Amino acid sequence: MTADERKGRMGPRSCLLGLFALFVTGKCSYSPEPDQQRRLPPGWVSLGRADPEEELSLTFALRQQNVKRLSELVQAVSDPGSPHYGKYLTLEDVAELVRPSPLTLHTVQKWLLAAGARNCHSVTTQDFLTCWLSVRQAELLLPGAEFHHYVGGPAETHAVRSPHPYRLPKALAPHVDFVGGLHRFPPTSTLRQRPEPQVPGTVGLHLGVTPSVIRKRYNLTAQDVGSGTTNNSQACAQFLEQYFHDSDLAEFMRLFGGDFAHQASVARVVGQQGRGRAGIEASLDVEYLMSAGANISTWVYSSPGRHESQEPFLQWLLLLSNESALPYVHTVSYGDDEDSLSSTYIQRVNTELMKAAARGLTLLFASGDSGAGCWSVSGRHQFRPSFPASSPYVTTVGGTSFQNPFRITDEVVDYISGGGFSNVFPQPSYQEEAVTRYLSSSPHLPPSSYFNASGRAYPDVAALSDGYWVVSNHVPIPWVSGTSASTPVFGGLLSLINEHRILRGLPPLGFLNPRLYQQRGAGLFDVTRGCHESCLNEEVEGQGFCSGPGWDPVTGWGTPNFPALLKTLMNP
C-alpha cells in the first residue's frame, strides 16, 4: 500500500469517483470527523473486509438551521421564571425551526442519487436521511472508508465498520454534519455483580435493594403510584443487544411488587424484541422503572434486530425525531468517553438532545460506572468525562450506597459513580453558582490539571446504585450494581410527579436542570460522605472528586426524598 493509501486511500481516481463529477471543486479534502478516534474497542476483532456487494444502511446527518434560536427556546420553556415556562414545542414546531435549507436538501439528495443510494428514508424534522448502498457504492461515495466485519462484546455482537476516516466532497461541507454507521461500535454493559458483603447475623437487616427498600428509603407510600387515568407514560432505551422477558417482569413483580399497585407488562416495545436469553441490564431497566414509576404506562426502545451497519444510539435519536407523541420521561444507561467521539458528532447529538428538551421531554442519562475516569494525554494523566452524561441538555444520575449495606440508612457515595467536568461543553449558566461554591469550598479537590473547571459539570442528582436484586431468565440475581440501576429509579419517581402535575392541569416537568439548580437541592437528601475512583497513580492515588454539602460532581444535589420533591416540583 502506498503512503497516500495509508493516509486514507485518497488517490486521484478515488477522489474523482467520490465526487461523481457533480461536485468537482478541487481536491476532496473535507473530512467531517477528522478527530474521530478509530481505535478498536477492547474485545472486538476484525473478521476481514466486507463483500463489495453487501448492503449497508448509512445515516446522513444534514446541517440544521436556527440551532441558536432552538437553544434560546429551550431556556425559555425550562426556566420557571420565564413567561414561556412549560409552553413546549411540538415536533412540528421543532421541524419548522431546524429543517435543513432547500439548498441542503437538494444538494444531498442529488449527491446520494448519483451514488446509487436507494430506499432513502427521512424523519419529520428532515435533518436525517437513512439510505441503503452496497459496500462498493459506499466506499466510492465516502473516499477513505473501507468496510470490515467485526465481532465483539459478551453477546458476540456483529458490526460492519470502517477502521479508516472517510471524506466528503468540499461542496458537501456546508450541508452534512457526519455520516453514521462507519466508526462508532455498539456499547457494552458496565453493570457489575458485586460479592455479597459479609456481616454477622441478619436480624432487622435487608438482603439487597428491592422495590420495597427503595420505597422505604425514599419515603413512598402504597398510594404513591400512577392513577391509570392519564396519558402519562415513561420509557427506557436499550442499546446493548439485550432483551427483557415479560415472564421475568411478571416474576419480579410477584416476588417484589406485592405491596404497591403496578402494571404487569410493558405497554409498547419500539424496535425488535428478540427471543434470545434475557440480559441483566435490559431486565434491570424495565423492572426498576416500572416499580419506581409504579402503575404508569411504560415503553421500551429496543435495538436488537438492527442491521450490522446501524448505530443503536443514533437509531434512537432518529425515532425521537419521527414521533409526535412520546413518553414524558426517558431513562438511558448509555455513554461513551468524550474523547472517543468526533467533535462534529458530539455537537450534533447535543442538538438532538436540545430538540427533545424543547419538546418537554425529560431525558435522564446514567453518569457512568468509572468514577472520574482516567486517561493519559501527552504523558500526563487526566480525568475522562463521559457523553451524553456531560450534555448540558440532559439530567445526569449518579450513584450511592447505603452507609450500612444491610440497613436502610443514610447514603454515601458509591465509588463507581461517574462524575466530573466536560472537556467539550462550557458550563451552562443554570449551574455556575453551584459549581463555583463547590470548587471554592471543597477541601479535597484534585489537582487542577486533571479537569476542566469551566466545563459542564455532572451529575445533577443521584440514587442508590449498589446491591440490586434483578430477575433475569427466571432467576433472581442479587448484588447487581451500577448507575444503570439508579437512573430508572430516579426516572420512575419523576414520572409519578408528572402524574400529579397532569392531574392538576400543569405541564410535565420537561428539561429539569434549570429548575433543579434554582431550587438548590430542595426535596433531595444531600449526600456528603465519600469519594469516587479515578487514576491509580501517585498523584491522586485512585481518588477523584469527593461529595460535600450542596451540589458536588459525584452525587449532584443528592437522592430523592419523594414527598418533599413532589411538593417542590408541584409549584407551577
Side-chain angles (χ1 to χ4, degrees):
M1 185 177 283
T2 68
D4 277 347
E5 289 171 324
R6 282 195 299 273
K7 289 178 181 174
R9 304 182 72 248
M10 286 293 296
R13 183 170 181 274
S14 164
C15 184
L16 184 60
L17 287 169
L19 300 178
F20 291 102
L22 291 169
F23 299 94
V24 181
T25 58
K27 294 181 180 178
C28 51
S29 59
Y30 168 62
S31 178
E33 300 190 82
D35 48 349
Q36 174 69 53
Q37 297 194 17
R38 285 160 293 280
R39 60 181 180 274
L40 202 59
W44 286 83
V45 295
S46 172
L47 303 178
R49 289 287 298 270
D51 186 302
E53 302 311 315
E54 184 174 343
E55 294 287 294
L56 297 175
S57 170
L58 297 180
T59 298
F60 300 84
L62 278 60
R63 186 68 50 82
Q64 297 155 318
Q65 300 190 97
N66 303 313
V67 173
K68 184 178 180 183
R69 176 61 181 151
L70 179 66
S71 174
E72 293 167 353
L73 288 170
V74 170
Q75 176 66 23
V77 300
S78 306
D79 181 354
S82 163
H84 299 285
Y85 178 66
K87 297 177 181 178
Y88 304 123
L89 279 65
T90 65
L91 177 60
E92 291 68 28
D93 293 334
V94 173
E96 190 67 29
L97 193 67
V98 304
R99 181 180 292 120
S101 69
L103 177 61
T104 290
L105 293 171
H106 174 75
T107 303
V108 174
Q109 289 166 0
K110 188 176 180 183
W111 174 60
L112 291 172
L113 185 65
R118 56 203 167 277
N119 297 330
C120 292
H121 296 281
S122 188
V123 292
T124 302
T125 48
Q126 294 184 257
D127 47 4
F128 284 109
L129 199 56
T130 301
C131 298
W132 289 87
L133 304 95
S134 69
V135 166
R136 186 194 312 277
Q137 289 170 328
E139 290 182 350
L140 291 175
L141 181 74
L142 305 169
E146 183 183 279
F147 290 93
H148 291 241
H149 277 279
Y150 294 91
V151 63
E156 295 286 292
T157 303
H158 287 260
V160 177
R161 296 289 186 270
S162 170
H164 303 298
Y166 64 93
R167 292 184 176 273
L168 294 175
K170 275 187 177 179
L172 269 295
H175 305 297
V176 176
D177 286 332
F178 69 87
V179 183
L182 280 93
H183 298 319
R184 289 161 288 276
F185 282 78
T188 55
S189 176
T190 59
L191 208 59
R192 312 180 187 190
Q193 189 175 8
R194 295 178 180 167
E196 178 179 344
Q198 299 299 312
V199 295
T202 58
V203 177
L205 305 179
H206 69 81
L207 297 176
V209 175
T210 63
S212 63
V213 169
I214 287 169
R215 296 179 79 82
K216 184 173 181 181
R217 167 57 188 158
Y218 296 144
N219 293 322
L220 282 85
T221 68
Q223 286 70 49
D224 290 318
V225 296
S227 66
T229 62
T230 71
N231 64 348
N232 190 18
S233 57
Q234 58 189 359
C236 57
Q238 303 170 346
F239 313 120
L240 293 170
E241 302 297 311
Q242 289 192 2
Y243 311 109
F244 77 94
H245 288 173
D246 281 323
S247 57
D248 287 337
L249 175 62
E251 177 66 7
F252 178 84
M253 291 300 188
R254 186 187 71 80
L255 290 172
F256 303 120
D259 55 354
F260 56 90
H262 58 265
Q263 298 201 357
S265 60
V266 168
R268 181 177 173 187
V269 175
V270 183
Q272 295 189 19
Q273 175 65 3
R275 298 187 181 87
R277 285 177 58 80
I280 293 179
E281 181 139 3
S283 305
L284 171 79
D285 286 346
V286 173
E287 289 164 7
Y288 281 90
L289 181 61
M290 293 186 68
S291 56
N295 211 37
I296 289 175
S297 178
T298 303
W299 297 19
V300 174
Y301 287 86
S302 181
S303 70
R306 65 172 181 88
H307 187 268
E308 290 178 8
S309 62
Q310 290 174 337
E311 298 176 30
F313 179 61
L314 189 56
Q315 297 306 305
W316 175 72
L317 292 174
L318 266 65
L319 287 169
L320 295 189
S321 280
N322 215 29
E323 287 264 0
S324 293
L326 290 169
Y328 296 126
V329 172
H330 296 252
T331 73
V332 187
S333 304
Y334 160 81
D336 275 312
D337 297 325
E338 272 189 352
D339 58 272
S340 73
L341 302 168
S342 73
S343 58
T344 50
Y345 175 84
I346 208 170
Q347 293 291 350
R348 174 57 187 265
V349 169
N350 193 54
T351 302
E352 297 307 305
L353 302 172
M354 196 191 304
K355 285 160 60 178
R359 295 172 62 191
L361 304 183
T362 303
L363 303 186
L364 293 103
F365 277 80
S367 70
D369 298 335
S370 303
C374 185
W375 68 314
S376 181
V377 184
S378 303
R380 286 194 57 82
H381 286 97
Q382 291 181 8
F383 295 157
R384 195 173 202 180
S386 176
F387 178 80
S390 65
S391 166
Y393 295 102
V394 304
T395 298
T396 304
V397 185
T400 61
S401 305
F402 282 125
Q403 189 171 328
N404 179 327
F406 286 97
R407 295 188 186 277
I408 301 175
T409 59
D410 290 344
E411 293 161 75
V412 296
V413 169
D414 186 347
Y415 67 91
I416 65 168
S417 179
F421 294 77
S422 174
N423 290 320
V424 175
F425 301 107
Q427 206 163 97
S429 58
Y430 61 72
Q431 66 171 185
E432 285 176 351
E433 181 185 339
V435 175
T436 299
R437 186 182 301 115
Y438 173 80
L439 292 175
S440 62
S441 63
S442 175
H444 303 294
L445 278 182
S448 60
S449 61
Y450 277 72
F451 64 99
N452 172 28
S454 63
R456 149 63 161 148
Y458 70 96
D460 305 298
V461 292
L464 285 163
S465 57
D466 184 24
Y468 278 68
W469 280 91
V470 180
V471 174
S472 191
N473 299 301
H474 309 288
V475 178
I477 301 169
W479 304 110
V480 176
S481 300
T483 53
S484 298
S486 56
T487 306
V489 166
F490 207 102
L493 300 189
L494 292 182
S495 290
L496 293 180
I497 294 172
N498 270 341
E499 184 88 354
H500 284 267
R501 289 181 63 87
I502 293 165
L503 288 170
R504 194 180 285 186
L506 298 172
L509 289 166
F511 175 45
L512 191 60
N513 289 11
R515 180 167 190 156
L516 190 67
Y517 283 82
Q518 282 183 27
Q519 293 174 173
R520 296 180 172 85
L524 298 165
F525 292 118
D526 196 3
V527 180
T528 59
R529 294 184 57 188
C531 309
H532 63 183
E533 61 187 0
S534 73
C535 302
L536 289 170
N537 61 2
E538 292 183 2
E539 196 168 19
V540 297
E541 298 180 332
Q543 181 173 293
F545 297 98
C546 297
S547 62
W551 179 90
D552 57 69
V554 192
T555 60
W557 286 106
T559 63
N561 178 4
F562 183 75
L565 189 61
L566 173 64
K567 183 179 179 181
T568 298
L569 294 178
M570 280 305 292
N571 294 326

